[in-house]
């Protein structure tokens, strides 16, 4: 192994594509940083211990020489990157709105780049690949699915554990649903979804995908723009575990003995078992309808069709395996068969539009007939664990690499080989008596060593900002080989009852912070819990487990009754109650909040994660790196998502014993976490009289009478500069050898000015001057051509070697500027009307309800209907705070609100595309007795207005939105005010308010702004 130790492995921002990675050599990781993104490859680096190189349980160590590039993923990634940089061309308007919303750099709740990339890849293949040199991808996927999946239309997205696969599922559901609602006859989309999980634990956790769930991700993570939230309500989603695909016994057969069934039905299909169609009907009953569905497989490595022919070279079939490995492979194969055939049955009955597989480890397993660890060939995107570590998205797992013991081996890395012969092989039902006092010394030494590290973490937490904010303590988990071992470890850590004569005496656990016994009494709220994952997933608790965890079950029932008066814990059932405890470990205010240690049986390897896990102990065999990654993955979810001064996350670590797995060797200590407080921003019910309503404008209709067109070429928006800053006029190309060549824009340079003016005038006519039936008015063309020539002569400035032909490269922008100069007898504003959203044309501040980590300003209860003004920027926008304070102190202000999560936007065009402008504040003025509702939009610019898109926003507000809404006569009187110097907000707001009361003008400028407009 390399001697490299990297103090801070985080070298990329979590919100943009990775641009750097650590290089590997033949000895492993190096400190050399390569200035480009790491390519996707078949590679799971495993460090060799500094003492020796033996790896008893993992038979083959993957080395540098085993790296194989995943060409399919890398080629798709390159096309998606180019497509993203070009603004996602070729997608529907709904899709574009979602992509822009997810990528918005000013979002409060930013979406991780790995989440965006996964969703973008799926969208690219569905909407844009055929137009973006990517048609081959879908063709290849069809071929792969025909070979491996019997034609099931599968597509796999590989994402590291802890990187947020559930968010991606929610993004895909939103994309499908909203597109389908807005284009109901488009067969590319669906609004019926089946989410399939490997167990009940994950099923419970995925309730956040249901739009009706109070903690749904669409609102909690701000995944859907407000204007589409109502559409999302049409999604129908079923979340189930794959066990539901088993064909169950029918009602008629439940009371019959097996021999009776065989006698009544010899040698014929079993009439006492569901048919495939009946199973599908049962599973999909809540979806209703008959259209195709979309399937999302979570932890999809459990779903595959084994190789029926000869195994691949180096691969094994189940019959080639022995012992425990064979038993485990048989179980996995049976689970995979049920899952896969269930999807086939659904495909045959109702049709499947697409199957999205999500997994951190989409690899074939042992006994499948494929080489273990081979990537599913239908994987189309990959954000690996090492990518996630280098971007700071997950905690960094640390394993022992050296110790001072006199041995070639690192004791707590290769733990299982030293203790396995001293532990019972069977579970509680089969084993000889085995107690906490029988644990081998090497195991108890490892427990105490790792506990010593936990104590330091716990003490740091006690004095941290996180604890002060009520965040739960760090969590220590133990993964055991069987139920006998887990019970003994659980007793050793948490305590047990010792029989003394005719009574029992509580014995405290050996680790004080985890002991459930204190002062010779059992604690009311246990600090350590015992988890039998297999029993939890099956939904049934054995008598043995009930006896082992009986006290904790009763304690949690009492606590449940206290937390939820009027409810009965018996209604949940013991297994549901314990799953609730496990699911809420590390969550404030939940049943699992006080838990500090989780002792589990064998397969607590997936489907459960708490972001408070800091220490993991493996007391079992690890035959593959896949199992290693799954176990380590339980400790990878971050606690803090606050970035530092460089826009990076702060490193967090998980210390791991007994799991031979590591990516980046590091000795750095965790810094105190920066946990931003989360505040609930909402419209207060007792402030209903302050509610502000507004129209939801999606466009404008301009119906000008057939009068002479007039151009005002003095408006600042009309001006345009052409230079080589926009486009190079000459490009030199050269190879490694041979002649060089020059590419130029000579053809555009030679274009006649009249030809250019003709093209621009035609674009203005086609896009802007239409009648109520949306037909163009060709009789205006001569006037447009004259105005265009005048505009070119008076408003276009040529710098350096620029020429008029370059206008063809900025044609959309030029046409907008020409149109902005045009009026009829100076009265164009009279003929602008708003186009309102059809579904919900009127918005209200009453709907505001979201959570934020931004700084806030507490509002006056008699001035604002919402409890907080959210302040943009890392330390809170002082300008926005100043404006809010000014508005609260002005007598003419009846109510005001920050435009955040209101879904209030001003549509405008720039460079040929429609955009949305969100003014900072809405201000309703006091009624002066005439019954007119007056509302002022306030934009806090804080500086000189930049040219281009920023200026276009203000122009659209003043010259399109305000006159259109005022002309409609339905929404009172509106005006727009732009503040450039928030330190004089009251002085500049006063004339704007006076003008709105007077009804003069469509918008208001301060004296400073008028000077700047005239000087521009």
């Amino acid at each position: 192994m390399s001697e490299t130790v990297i103090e801070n492995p985080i070298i990329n921002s979590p919100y943009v594509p990775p641009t750097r990675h650590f290089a590997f050599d033949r000895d492993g990781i190096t400190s050399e940083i390569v200035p480009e993104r790491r390519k996707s490859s078949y590679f799971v680096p495993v460090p060799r211990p500094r003492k020796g190189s033996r790896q008893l349980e993992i038979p083959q160590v993957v080395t540098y020489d085993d790296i194989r590039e995943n060409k399919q993923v890398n080629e798709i990634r390159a096309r998606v990157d180019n497509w993203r940089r070009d603004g996602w061309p070729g997608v529907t308007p709904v899709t574009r709105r979602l992509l822009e919303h997810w990528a918005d750099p000013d979002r409060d709740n930013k979406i991780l780049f790995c989440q965006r990339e996964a969703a973008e890849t799926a969208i690219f293949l569905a909407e844009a690949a055929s137009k973006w040199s990517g048609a081959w991808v879908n063709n290849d996927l069809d071929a792969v699915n025909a070979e491996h999946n019997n034609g099931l239309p599968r597509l796999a997205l590989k994402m590291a554990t802890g990187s947020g696969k559930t968010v991606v599922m929610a993004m895909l559901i939103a994309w499908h649903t909203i597109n389908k609602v807005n284009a109901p006859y488009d067969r590319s989309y669906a609004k019926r979804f089946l989410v399939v999980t490997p167990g009940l634990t994950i099923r419970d956790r995925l309730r956040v995908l249901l739009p009706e769930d109070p903690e749904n991700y669409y609102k909690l993570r701000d995944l859907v723009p407000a204007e589409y939230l109502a559409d999302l309500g049409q999604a129908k989603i079923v979340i189930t575990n794959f066990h539901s695909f088993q064909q169950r016994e029918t009602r008629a057969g439940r009371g019959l003995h097996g021999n009776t069934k065989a006698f009544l039905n010899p040698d014929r299909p079993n009439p006492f078992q569901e048919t495939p169609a009946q199973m599908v009907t049962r599973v999909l009953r809540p979806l209703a309808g008959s259209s195709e569905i979309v399937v999302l497989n979570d932890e999809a490595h459990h779903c595959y069709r084994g190789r029926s022919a000869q195994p691949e070279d180096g691969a094994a079939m189940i019959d080639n395996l022995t012992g425990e490995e064979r038993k485990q492979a048989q179980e996995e194969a049976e689970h995979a068969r049920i899952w896969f055939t269930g999807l086939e049955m659904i495909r045959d009955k109702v049709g499947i539009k697409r199957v999205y597989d999500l997994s951190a480890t989409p690899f074939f397993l042992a006994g499948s007939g494929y080489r273990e660890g081979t990537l599913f060939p239908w994987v189309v995107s990959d954000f690996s664990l090492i990518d996630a570590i280098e971007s700071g998205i997950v905690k960094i797992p640390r394993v022992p690499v050296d110790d001072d013991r006199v041995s070639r081996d690192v004791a707590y890395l290769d733990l299982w080989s030293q203790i396995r012969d001293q532990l019972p092989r069977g579970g509680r039902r089969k084993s000889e008596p085995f107690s906490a006092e029988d644990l081998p010394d090497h195991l108890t030494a490892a427990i105490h060593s790792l506990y010593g590290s936990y104590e330091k973490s716990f003490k740091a937490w006690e004095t941290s900002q996180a604890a002060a904010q009520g965040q739960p303590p760090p969590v220590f988990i133990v993964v055991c080989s069987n139920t006998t071992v887990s019970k003994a470890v659980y007793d050793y850590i948490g305590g047990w009852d010792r029989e003394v004569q005719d009574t029992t005496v509580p014995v405290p656990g050996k680790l004080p912070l985890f002991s459930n016994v204190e002062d010779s009494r059992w604690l009311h709220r246990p600090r350590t819990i015992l988890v039998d994952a297999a029993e939890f997933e099956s939904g049934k608790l054995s008598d043995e487990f009930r006896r082992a965890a009986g006290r904790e079950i009763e304690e949690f029932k009492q606590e449940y009754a206290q937390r939820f008066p009027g409810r009965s814990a018996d209604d949940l059932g013991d297994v549901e109650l314990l799953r609730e405890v496990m699911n809420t470990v590390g969550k404030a205010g939940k049943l699992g909040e006080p838990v500090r240690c989780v002792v589990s049986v064998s397969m607590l390897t997936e489907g459960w994660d708490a972001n408070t896990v800091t220490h993991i102990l493996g007391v079992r065999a690890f035959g593959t790196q896949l199992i290693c990654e799954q176990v380590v993955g339980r400790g990878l979810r971050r606690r803090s998502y606050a970035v530092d001064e460089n826009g990076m996350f702060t490193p967090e670590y998980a210390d791991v014993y007994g799991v031979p797995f590591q990516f980046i060797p590091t000795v750095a200590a965790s810094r105190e976490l920066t946990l931003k407080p989360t505040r609930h921003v909402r419209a207060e019910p007792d402030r209903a009289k302050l509610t502000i309503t507004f129209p939801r404008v999606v466009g404008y209709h301009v119906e000008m009478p057939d009068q002479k067109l007039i151009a005002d070429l003095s408006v600042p928006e009309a001006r345009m500069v052409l230079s080589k800053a926009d486009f190079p006029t000459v490009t030199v190309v050269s190879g490694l050898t041979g002649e060089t060549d020059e590419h130029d824009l000579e053809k555009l340079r030679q274009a006649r000015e009249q030809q250019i003016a003709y093209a621009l005038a035609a674009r203005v006519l086609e896009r802007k001057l239409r009648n109520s039936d949306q037909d163009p008015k060709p009789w205006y063309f001569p006037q447009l051509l004259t105005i265009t020539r005048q505009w070119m002569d008076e408003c276009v400035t040529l710098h350096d070697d620029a020429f008029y032909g370059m206008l063809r490269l900025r044609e959309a922008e030029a046409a907008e500027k020409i149109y902005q100069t045009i009026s009829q007898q100076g009265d164009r504003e009279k003929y602008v009307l708003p186009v309102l959203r059809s579904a919900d044309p009127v918005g209200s501040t009453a709907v505001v309800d979201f959570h934020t980590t931004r700084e806030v300003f507490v509002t006056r209860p008699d001035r604002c209907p919402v409890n907080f003004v959210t302040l943009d920027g890392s330390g809170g926008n002082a300008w926005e705070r100043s404006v809010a304070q000014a508005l609260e102190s002005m007598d003419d202000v009846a109510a005001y609100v920050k435009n955040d999560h209101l879904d209030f936007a001003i549509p405008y065009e720039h460079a040929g595309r429609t955009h949305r402008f969100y003014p900072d504040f809405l201000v309703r003025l006091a009624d002066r007795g005439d019954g007119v509702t007056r509302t002022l939009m306030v934009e806090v610019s804080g500086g000189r207005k930049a040219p281009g898109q920023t200026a276009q926003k203000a122009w659209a507000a003043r010259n399109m939105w305000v006159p259109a809404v005022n002309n409609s006569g339905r929404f009172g009187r509106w005006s727009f005010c732009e503040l450039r110097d928030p330190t004089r907000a009251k002085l500049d707001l006063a004339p704007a308010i006076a003008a709105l009361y007077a009804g003069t003008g469509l918008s208001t400028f301060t004296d400073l702004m008028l000077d700047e407009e005239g000087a521009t």
Side-chain angles (χ1 to χ4, degrees), residues 813-829:
E813 182 182 354
E816 289 169 8
K817 290 182 174 295
I818 294 167
Y819 175 66
Q820 290 171 11
T821 71
I822 296 173
S823 62
Q824 290 178 317
Q825 309 300 325
D827 288 336
R828 178 176 62 176
E829 290 82 1

Side-chain angles (χ1 to χ4, degrees), residues 159-460:
M159 297 178 65
T161 298
S163 61
K165 295 187 293 293
T166 307
V167 171
V168 175
M169 286 193 278
M171 294 165 77
L172 293 174
I173 289 172
W175 164 60
H176 266 283
T177 301
I178 299 169
N179 268 293
K180 188 66 173 179
V181 170
N182 286 271
Y185 300 107
D186 192 330
R187 295 176 58 84
S188 304
Y189 309 99
K191 54 183 180 180
R192 302 167 71 232
F193 303 89
L194 176 65
V195 182
V196 190
T197 76
L200 297 174
T201 300
I202 305 180
R203 188 193 68 180
D204 295 345
R205 180 166 55 82
L206 293 183
R207 286 193 56 82
V208 294
L209 295 176
L210 303 175
E212 64 272 20
D213 190 83
E215 297 182 352
N216 75 80
Y217 272 6
Y218 311 103
K219 290 188 68 174
L220 192 66
R221 300 297 180 89
D222 190 21
L223 298 181
V224 176
E227 66 263 30
Y228 291 141
L229 281 173
D231 295 342
L232 190 63
Q234 295 192 33
K236 294 183 178 180
I237 304 170
V238 165
I239 304 172
T240 189
N241 50 316
F242 76 87
H243 306 81
S244 67
F245 292 163
Q246 298 180 84
Q247 293 167 252
R248 298 175 179 174
E249 193 173 47
T250 61
R251 184 178 304 174
R254 289 173 192 165
L256 298 178
H257 191 274
N259 291 334
T260 304
K261 296 175 188 176
F263 175 78
L264 294 174
N265 191 56
D267 303 322
R268 289 199 300 270
N270 187 353
F272 306 111
Q273 185 182 55
E274 289 178 325
T275 66
Q278 288 172 325
M279 181 279 291
V280 173
T281 299
R282 168 174 53 79
V283 172
L284 300 186
R285 184 173 290 114
L287 294 183
S290 59
S291 60
E292 291 183 329
I293 67 171
V294 167
V295 176
L296 297 105
N297 286 333
D298 195 17
E299 307 292 356
H301 50 274
H302 289 289
C303 178
Y304 58 86
R305 184 174 67 162
R307 189 179 176 93
S308 56
Q310 286 295 108
E312 287 185 325
D313 291 341
M317 303 294 278
I318 292 177
D319 291 342
N320 305 127
L321 305 176
T322 59
E324 191 68 26
E325 190 178 13
R326 179 172 182 170
K327 179 182 177 182
Q328 183 173 334
Q330 287 173 329
E331 292 177 355
E332 291 287 356
E334 176 62 10
H335 294 165
R337 183 195 66 78
I338 295 171
W339 195 329
F340 188 88
T341 56
L343 294 182
E344 288 182 307
M345 293 174 188
I346 292 170
R347 188 260 318 269
D348 294 341
K349 180 171 174 60
V350 301
I352 294 178
K353 192 174 298 296
R354 173 62 74 186
V355 179
Y356 296 106
D357 292 337
L358 292 103
S359 173
T361 53
F363 304 113
F364 288 109
L365 303 177
S368 64
Y370 298 94
R371 281 180 296 176
E372 187 175 8
T374 300
L375 197 68
F376 289 165
W378 56 95
V379 172
V380 296
S381 74
D382 175 19
F383 203 87
S384 67
L385 180 53
I386 193 165
D387 295 329
I389 290 173
E390 290 172 340
S391 295
I393 292 169
V394 298
K395 290 176 183 157
I396 302 158
R398 299 186 295 195
V399 302
V401 294
D402 202 358
D403 59 37
D404 58 0
R405 191 178 64 143
V406 182
S407 170
R408 295 179 65 251
D409 301 316
V410 179
Y412 302 144
L413 176 69
D414 188 17
L415 179 62
W416 180 249
S417 65
Q418 302 172 67
I419 63 175
R420 58 182 175 180
D421 294 336
Q422 303 171 59
L423 294 175
R425 300 291 180 91
R428 285 185 290 267
R429 297 179 183 179
K430 300 178 181 178
S431 291
E432 296 295 325
F434 187 84
S435 71
E437 297 173 319
D438 299 320
L439 293 177
D441 293 343
H442 275 97
L443 176 53
T444 57
I447 291 173
H448 281 276
S449 177
L450 193 57
Y451 174 74
S453 171
Y454 177 89
E455 279 187 310
K456 296 176 183 177
S457 297
F458 186 86
K459 289 177 181 177

Side-chain angles (χ1 to χ4, degrees), residues 8-15 110-114 162 388-396 638-653 671 673-674 676:
N8 184 356
I10 300 176
I11 54 176
N12 292 306
S13 165
Y15 299 119
K110 289 186 174 65
I111 295 175
L112 299 174
F113 171 75
C114 60
I389 290 173
E390 290 172 340
S391 295
I393 292 169
V394 298
K395 290 176 183 157
I396 302 158
R638 289 185 62 92
R639 293 197 70 182
S640 171
Y641 289 86
V643 296
D644 62 17
E645 63 278 5
N646 299 314
M648 307 279 193
F649 285 155
T650 300
E652 298 180 26
Y653 298 94
R671 291 159 52 186
L673 302 180
T674 301
K676 294 184 177 180

